[in-house]
Amino acid sequence: MMSYSSVNLDGLSQKLINAYQKGFPVCSRPFLQLAERFNCSEQEVIECLEQLQQQKILSRLGPVLDHKKAGASTLAALAVPAEQLDEIAEIVNKFEQVNHNYAREHDYNLWFVATAADAEGLKQCLTNIHQQTGFEPLVLPMEKAYHIDLGFEINFSDHHGEKL
Amino acid sequence: MMAQPLMSELQSSHLTVEQYSQLFTAIESGLPLVAQPYLALAEQIGASEEQVIETIKEWQQQGLIRRFGLVIHHRKLGYVANAMVVWDVANEDIERVAELLSQQKVVTLCYRRPRFLPHWPYNLFCMIHGKNRAQVLAQLDEICRVNKLQTIDKKVLFSYKAYKQRGGRYSNTQLNKSATSTAATTTRNK
């Protein structure tokens, strides 16, 4: 088994993850609302989320933005020789505009998402990445969203034997 | 407990342009984990809690915020097989295929993107997250079989290393520099 299976979450963590990847309450005491739903205290909810954050399971509690409405954004890829991949990935990582950056199995093996306040800023960022890495990005902006990421249900049962 | 806001504050959710952009920047890094997180944000930007709540609700209605809640690092929960499936779909068929893929429970995202011939013929992208490679490939095979998509040329690009994973930041000004440090994970899986 992989090391990830050592992460063993309590019932409250599991419920929070599967119930609130979307629709988190926007009201004065949101954690109290969650606590009432799950029959625990407001402080327990907050501590649970803090713990998830410390475990680096919770990236953040907040909005996922519509890329088109929030600014300019694109998926891009570089085709990098395997032995240079880590080095080039670190150069790309240094750009504040880059948020996701993954190695994937293809000739185009470094895939990243860049965001900026406007199209001009995005173009400049991609030009800089080209110049600093020596590789020309394949630029693949979203043209139409058919289905957007709204979070998905985590199956906690198959490696801990504990169901919700 | 904080004092209740004055009625005059309740009547207007309008923030100044500066406050608006400050709130946007602050919220991109996530809510503070305190009993009244919107009040904490309001204090950062010199506004009332009601103004912050109303503004966030407006952003949701306008579609600027497409979801609001826990953003999870799936790898930590065992979802280490992250497949980007790219399809070369005839232009006249793309809407139909995209709708079919979008209906699949395991597909979390489905976008049309431009081709770049001759290097990149793929115009439809979808994501499947699973706990292992075999499970994801089996799910994909099943989707193709049930929906008769076997004849469409596709490639499955599994990720094998995450160099960086965090939310996008659109704001020019960084209010919370400390909170924006990159969560660069170099997690090898496989």
Side-chain angles (χ1 to χ4, degrees):
Chain A
M1 283 302 284
M2 320 230 315
S3 61
Y4 301 102
S5 58
S6 65
V7 175
N8 201 352
L9 297 182
D10 61 23
L12 181 58
S13 299
Q14 297 186 7
K15 286 176 195 165
L16 289 171
I17 288 172
N18 273 338
Y20 285 106
Q21 289 178 57
K22 57 187 171 188
F24 184 78
V26 185
C27 63
S28 183
R29 299 280 292 275
F31 302 110
L32 184 60
Q33 196 170 316
L34 272 50
E36 283 166 358
R37 176 167 171 187
F38 296 128
N39 258 326
C40 63
S41 73
E42 185 180 34
Q43 195 53 35
E44 280 172 324
V45 171
I46 291 173
E47 281 169 10
C48 180
L49 292 169
E50 279 173 349
Q51 203 192 345
L52 287 172
Q53 201 153 44
Q54 280 160 13
Q55 292 170 313
K56 307 239 188 286
I57 292 168
L58 177 63
S59 165
R60 64 188 184 282
L61 170 59
V64 173
L65 302 167
D66 182 314
H67 299 306
K68 285 218 158 156
K69 289 184 177 164
S73 151
T74 191
L75 178 69
L78 301 179
V80 181
E83 64 277 13
Q84 281 181 268
L85 189 59
D86 284 353
E87 174 201 341
I88 297 298
E90 288 311 314
I91 298 174
V92 173
N93 263 9
K94 287 205 177 80
F95 284 83
E96 178 65 19
Q97 296 93 337
V98 170
N99 47 75
H100 292 261
N101 189 16
Y102 292 102
R104 290 191 183 276
E105 297 164 352
H106 192 270
D107 289 344
Y108 282 102
N109 50 359
L110 190 65
W111 289 80
F112 57 93
V113 176
T115 62
D118 55 40
E120 189 52 41
L122 184 61
K123 195 175 156 198
Q124 189 59 53
C125 170
L126 293 165
T127 302
N128 292 344
I129 287 174
H130 183 180
Q131 283 171 353
Q132 291 184 29
T133 61
F135 296 96
E136 185 176 5
L138 175 70
V139 180
L140 301 170
M142 191 258 279
E143 291 181 335
K144 182 167 178 183
Y146 298 97
H147 183 60
I148 58 175
D149 175 20
L150 292 175
F152 63 93
E153 189 173 331
I154 300 295
N155 180 355
F156 290 104
S157 64
D158 61 351
H159 58 186
H160 305 310
E162 190 181 358
K163 292 198 172 183
L164 278 178
Chain B
M1 285 293 296
M2 301 302 298
Q4 287 299 307
L6 300 172
M7 276 308 290
S8 58
E9 287 176 333
L10 285 170
Q11 285 165 356
S12 169
S13 72
H14 299 298
L15 300 175
T16 66
V17 173
E18 196 189 352
Q19 285 172 325
Y20 199 81
S21 107
Q22 283 174 341
L23 178 59
F24 192 77
T25 306
I27 204 175
E28 279 180 290
S29 312
L31 295 181
L33 299 178
V34 296
Q36 288 182 274
Y38 305 107
L39 178 64
L41 291 174
E43 286 171 347
Q44 275 185 43
I45 66 168
S48 73
E49 184 182 32
E50 279 65 28
Q51 286 175 310
V52 165
I53 286 172
E54 287 311 308
T55 304
I56 292 170
K57 284 183 174 169
E58 279 168 25
W59 288 343
Q60 288 178 317
Q61 280 157 15
Q62 292 160 358
L64 176 66
I65 293 174
R66 62 182 190 190
R67 78 172 159 105
F68 195 86
L70 279 71
V71 182
I72 298 296
H73 286 306
H74 293 104
R75 280 166 190 275
K76 292 272 181 186
L77 295 174
Y79 285 77
V80 295
N82 157 334
M84 182 172 80
V85 187
V86 297
W87 311 72
D88 175 6
V89 189
N91 290 345
E92 61 274 18
D93 206 21
I94 195 165
E95 297 288 322
R96 184 185 71 85
V97 174
E99 290 305 327
L100 284 173
L101 291 175
S102 298
Q103 287 162 18
Q104 309 304 315
K105 205 175 163 212
V106 299
V107 169
T108 55
L109 181 153
C110 183
Y111 288 172
R112 189 179 79 208
R113 300 183 186 277
R115 295 183 166 97
F116 273 94
L117 298 172
H119 313 293
W120 190 260
Y122 308 102
N123 56 348
L124 190 63
F125 288 58
C126 71
M127 296 294 305
I128 301 177
H129 292 269
K131 293 192 176 179
N132 62 63
R133 173 185 292 255
Q135 180 199 46
V136 169
L137 289 175
Q139 286 168 332
L140 182 60
D141 279 351
E142 180 68 6
I143 290 170
C144 288
R145 191 184 62 77
V146 170
N147 297 287
K148 299 184 169 54
L149 304 176
Q150 295 102 323
T151 57
I152 300 173
D153 185 29
K154 67 176 183 298
K155 281 253 177 342
V156 185
L157 281 71
F158 279 102
S159 71
Y160 58 92
K161 196 165 178 179
Y163 291 103
K164 199 179 199 180
Q165 248 182 319
R166 54 146 223 225
R169 307 208 194 286
Y170 297 90
S171 38
N172 283 318
T173 55
Q174 297 295 334
L175 201 67
N176 296 318
K177 271 288 181 196
S178 60
T180 62
S181 62
T182 59
T185 52
T186 48
T187 322
R188 279 197 183 276
N189 61 79
K190 285 184 48 175

